[in-house]
Amino acid sequence: MIQTKELSKVYRTDEVETTALNKVDIQIKEGEFVSIMGPSGCGKSTLLNILGLIDSPSSGSYQFLDTEVANFSERQRSKLRKQNIGFIFQSFNLIDELTVFENVELPLIYNQVSSSDRKKRVEETLEKMNMMHRAKHFPQQLSGGQQQRVAVARAIINDPKLILADEPTGNLDTSNGNDVMKTLVALNEAGATIVMVTHSQFCAEFGDRIIRLLDGQVVTENLLKKQKQML
C-alpha cells in the first residue's frame, strides 16, 4: 500500500535550512498496523503528513496504492486523500460550532454523498462508536474520551483504506486511551491499514511493527506480537 524511497523533507527560510526527513525508506502492506516512535522533533509528524497527502516531500519517491504521488499537485492529493485516508489527531480537531452528527457527516459532504445516505451512514457509525445518544451535542459538551470517539467516527465514515493516527491517546486518561486502542485494533482486524505515531510504548505494541525515527531517519524496525489480550 505504501512505499517510500529516499524520502526527504527540507524546510528552508532565508537564514535556516532544517532537514525534517532524511532519505526515509519504509514499506507498509495493506492490512498492517504500524507504530512510529521517536523523540520530539525526529520527523514523525512530518512523515505522517506526507503519508496522508497533507504535505509533499522535497525529494524522493512515495508510492501510495501503486501510484507515484510525490509530485502530485494539492488538488490531486486532496482528491486521493478524501477517497482513501482517515485522520485521527491528538487534539481531536472537531469543529466547535457543529454538532457531533454534523462533525461526523462532514467528510461525506466533501465527497458529495446524498443526504439520505449521509444520515444512514452517520447513524450507523455513531452507533458503532456508542455515541448516537450524543448526536445533537456539541464537542465542548463532551468528555475528552467522547470527543476522541467522535473523531474516530469521522475518520472511518468513508470506510478509508488507510487510517493515520497522530498521538490518538495523548490527551486521554488510561481508561479512555485503552478504549481508543481497542477501537483501532478492531478497525485493523476488520481490514483497515493503520499507521500510528505515538510516544507510548504500551500503545505502540498493539501494532504489528514499530518503526523508530531519529533525526529524520529510520534507525530500527521491530516486528511485534499484538498485545490484544491486555485491553
Side-chain angles (χ1 to χ4, degrees), residues 26 28 34-37 209-213 218 220-221:
I26 63 171
I28 298 171
V34 176
S35 302
I36 299 176
M37 299 192 73
R209 191 157 46 107
I210 297 177
I211 296 174
R212 294 183 186 275
L213 297 182
V218 175
T220 61
E221 289 193 43

Side-chain angles (χ1 to χ4, degrees), residues 185-204:
V185 168
L187 291 169
N188 179 238
E189 290 176 340
T193 304
I194 296 177
V195 180
M196 176 181 69
V197 163
T198 182
H199 279 103
S200 167
Q201 182 70 32
F202 176 79
C203 292

